[in-house]
Amino acid sequence: MSPDSTQSHPPTVSFSPDAPGFAANPFPVLEELRKAAPLSYWKEGRAWLVTRYEEALAMLRDSKRFSTNRAHWEFASVSGIAAIIPELAELNNAGLFALSGADHARLRKLVSPALTPRAIERLRPEVQAIVDEILDEVSGQDTVNVVSDIADRIPPRVIGSMLKIPKGRETLFNRFTEAAVKSFLPGLLRPEDVPALRADVQEGIALVRETIEERRRNPLPDDILTTLIQTEEQGDRLSTAELLSLVSSLIVGGFETTIHLIGFTTYNLLKRPELLAQVLVEPDLIKGVIEEVLRFDNFGKMGLARYALEDVEVGGVTIKKGQMILLMLNSALRDEAAFSQADVFDARRNTNSSIAFGYGVHFCLGANLARLELQVVMNRILERFPTMSLVKEPSFGPHPVIRKMESLEVQLRSR
């Protein structure tokens, strides 16, 4: 049922996330939405747009009336990933993204010990070794594309290292990670690519299943997969299907986040020479830079999706049961009502109120890993190439939900 059938004058907006220039700078459009139509219906997207911080936070907190499960959407049907890669779709049904209520709480409680800040910190030497190896390979070049030459190559290596994928099987696992990410973007796939993509997913799932069974027989100390396997809560443990689903979620959730954070953080630093100079003498400031990039230049194009479980009145409008809501975090994080001087980049800002990684029961469990990777990557890049500079402004490519930075050309050393 559309909003027109429930309200005489529903607030509707014209919104074009694929318009030229939107990916490079969506913030003028988002500011206009916040002021003119902070909660409005986007007919083409069949979804409500929530652009202010107050309403976005309230909906993130309210898991009783708003679900993350697409199955509750009034237009839900068998499409997208289920039609292209049914094996991966089956895995996702047992994952954190699809579950809610008691099922979600149970799974999250079992998973959390493996992803605490202390557990993730143990990965720092491994991550640093991977980053150093990649930087060694590009160090002889005059200029690099930070996205393809550095950022794209880090997540699959890190995730493979976390899971202790057997030697000689890394290439297969990397193909699996790429296929898993691509399969979530069915609109960008060519039909002729689907058979090879599905084969990579099938082989990757078999590889991860073998790794899980091997780790059950031979647990390893200080190992995330072993921790997940052995974690127990009142006799309850994760099943193999749940473990496979978690690996899939880790790949998809951690892949894009890390890649784009590296690109956007590098870009924001290099276009602010004064800030770059401060970070070079105060390396710990990079933590504040990363948090401010997440807030100020959030790489999301669309919002976090929620689905109304009942009729809900918000901000004077009625959202009907089954309707989709897009929480536009890229707009909410620039809301002047929530952040003083919201349009100013401040690396020393108190970001305790940031919702860049979500909030509450659906706060991103991979946030600690993403932060660790970014801190290591940026610190190592700046240590090795302190005089690097932008060659030109970044370019952006098509993507349904992310401001996809395709190219960021950087000169590694000053001439």
Side-chain angles (χ1 to χ4, degrees):
M1 184 179 294
S2 72
D4 297 275
S5 62
T6 62
Q7 295 177 268
S8 57
H9 298 288
T12 59
V13 291
S14 177
F15 179 59
S16 302
D18 294 322
F22 184 86
N25 183 17
F27 302 106
V29 172
L30 297 173
E31 181 181 8
E32 185 177 342
L33 280 175
R34 275 198 312 276
K35 292 178 178 178
L39 206 157
S40 49
Y41 193 75
W42 176 32
K43 287 185 178 181
E44 293 79 5
R46 299 187 290 191
W48 290 91
L49 302 180
V50 177
T51 57
R52 291 194 306 205
Y53 180 89
E54 181 181 357
E55 287 88 358
L57 177 60
M59 292 186 184
L60 285 171
R61 284 173 166 167
D62 192 349
S63 58
K64 293 183 178 179
R65 297 191 296 174
F66 301 101
S67 173
T68 59
N69 193 336
R70 187 182 175 89
H72 294 291
W73 190 28
E74 59 184 335
F75 296 107
S77 60
V78 179
S79 61
I81 184 175
I84 297 172
I85 314 285
E87 296 87 353
L88 207 52
E90 184 178 348
L91 286 185
N92 295 333
N93 290 335
L96 283 164
F97 296 142
L99 298 175
S100 58
D103 292 332
H104 179 272
R106 166 192 164 272
L107 193 58
R108 191 178 181 94
K109 196 168 186 177
L110 287 168
V111 172
S112 294
L115 298 171
T116 62
R118 179 177 293 183
I120 293 299
E121 181 61 31
R122 290 198 290 265
L123 295 171
R124 187 177 291 271
E126 295 177 44
V127 175
Q128 185 162 311
I130 290 167
V131 172
D132 283 342
E133 186 176 328
I134 291 171
L135 293 183
D136 284 343
E137 293 172 8
V138 303
S139 64
Q141 300 173 216
D142 182 34
T143 62
V144 298
N145 176 352
V146 170
V147 178
S148 60
D149 293 335
I150 299 174
D152 278 352
R153 301 169 61 191
I154 292 173
R157 295 274 299 276
V158 170
I159 295 170
S161 178
M162 285 173 59
L163 300 175
K164 304 292 190 298
I165 295 300
K167 292 290 184 183
R169 312 293 295 278
E170 297 96 340
T171 299
L172 170 57
F173 183 76
N174 288 351
R175 291 206 315 268
F176 172 48
T177 63
E178 292 175 8
V181 172
K182 288 178 181 178
S183 65
F184 274 85
L185 307 171
L188 301 181
L189 292 177
R190 298 179 303 176
E192 60 268 28
D193 294 335
V194 172
L197 199 70
R198 187 174 180 184
D200 286 343
V201 167
Q202 291 170 335
E203 291 181 20
I205 289 174
L207 169 61
V208 176
R209 190 185 295 275
E210 290 173 17
T211 304
I212 290 170
E213 295 309 316
E214 166 60 24
R215 207 62 45 81
R216 287 191 197 278
R217 294 190 296 269
N218 301 299
L220 298 174
D222 295 332
D223 171 64
I224 281 185
L225 192 53
T226 298
T227 301
L228 288 169
I229 290 170
Q230 294 181 342
T231 297
E232 187 171 337
E233 179 67 26
Q234 295 181 348
D236 186 21
R237 289 192 173 187
L238 293 166
S239 66
T240 298
E242 288 169 335
L243 286 164
L244 285 166
S245 179
L246 284 169
V247 172
S248 174
S249 299
L250 186 65
I251 290 169
V252 175
F255 206 93
E256 295 276 18
T257 301
T258 304
I259 290 171
H260 291 289
L261 263 178
I262 292 171
F264 277 78
T265 302
T266 303
Y267 173 62
N268 275 278
L269 265 180
L270 295 186
K271 72 177 189 176
R272 295 179 173 83
E274 303 86 353
L275 177 60
L276 177 58
Q278 291 175 28
V279 174
L280 288 174
V281 298
E282 189 184 342
D284 272 355
L285 185 57
I286 197 64
K287 297 176 183 178
V289 172
I290 294 166
E291 296 305 317
E292 186 67 342
V293 168
L294 282 163
R295 186 202 68 82
F296 177 87
D297 201 10
N298 191 281
F299 59 79
K301 179 193 287 186
M302 302 301 297
L304 292 180
R306 294 292 186 269
Y307 306 93
L309 298 176
E310 59 185 67
D311 291 0
V312 184
E313 185 173 329
V314 181
V317 301
T318 300
I319 299 174
K320 302 296 290 183
K321 179 180 179 179
Q323 289 184 335
M324 182 196 298
I325 306 103
L326 293 176
L327 307 179
M328 306 295 287
L329 301 190
N330 48 6
S331 173
L333 291 166
R334 285 280 199 110
D335 189 346
E336 286 279 4
F339 300 93
S340 175
Q341 294 185 298
D343 289 332
V344 174
F345 190 100
D346 181 2
R348 300 184 189 278
R349 183 188 297 274
N350 183 340
T351 56
N352 289 340
S353 56
S354 176
I355 51 175
F357 282 112
Y359 187 90
V361 297
H362 287 287
F363 179 80
C364 178
L365 280 172
N368 294 322
L369 176 61
R371 287 177 168 128
L372 173 71
E373 287 184 77
L374 260 293
Q375 290 167 23
V376 171
V377 171
M378 297 312 304
N379 279 325
R380 298 304 284 166
I381 288 177
L382 293 176
E383 285 174 16
R384 298 185 63 164
F385 311 110
T387 61
M388 66 179 178
S389 58
L390 283 175
V391 173
K392 59 183 177 181
E393 289 292 302
S395 64
F396 294 82
H399 196 290
V401 296
I402 286 175
R403 299 165 56 207
K404 183 175 176 60
M405 187 181 286
E406 283 193 330
S407 176
L408 179 64
E409 289 190 40
V410 169
Q411 185 174 298
L412 292 182
R413 300 170 184 84
S414 61
R415 295 182 185 279

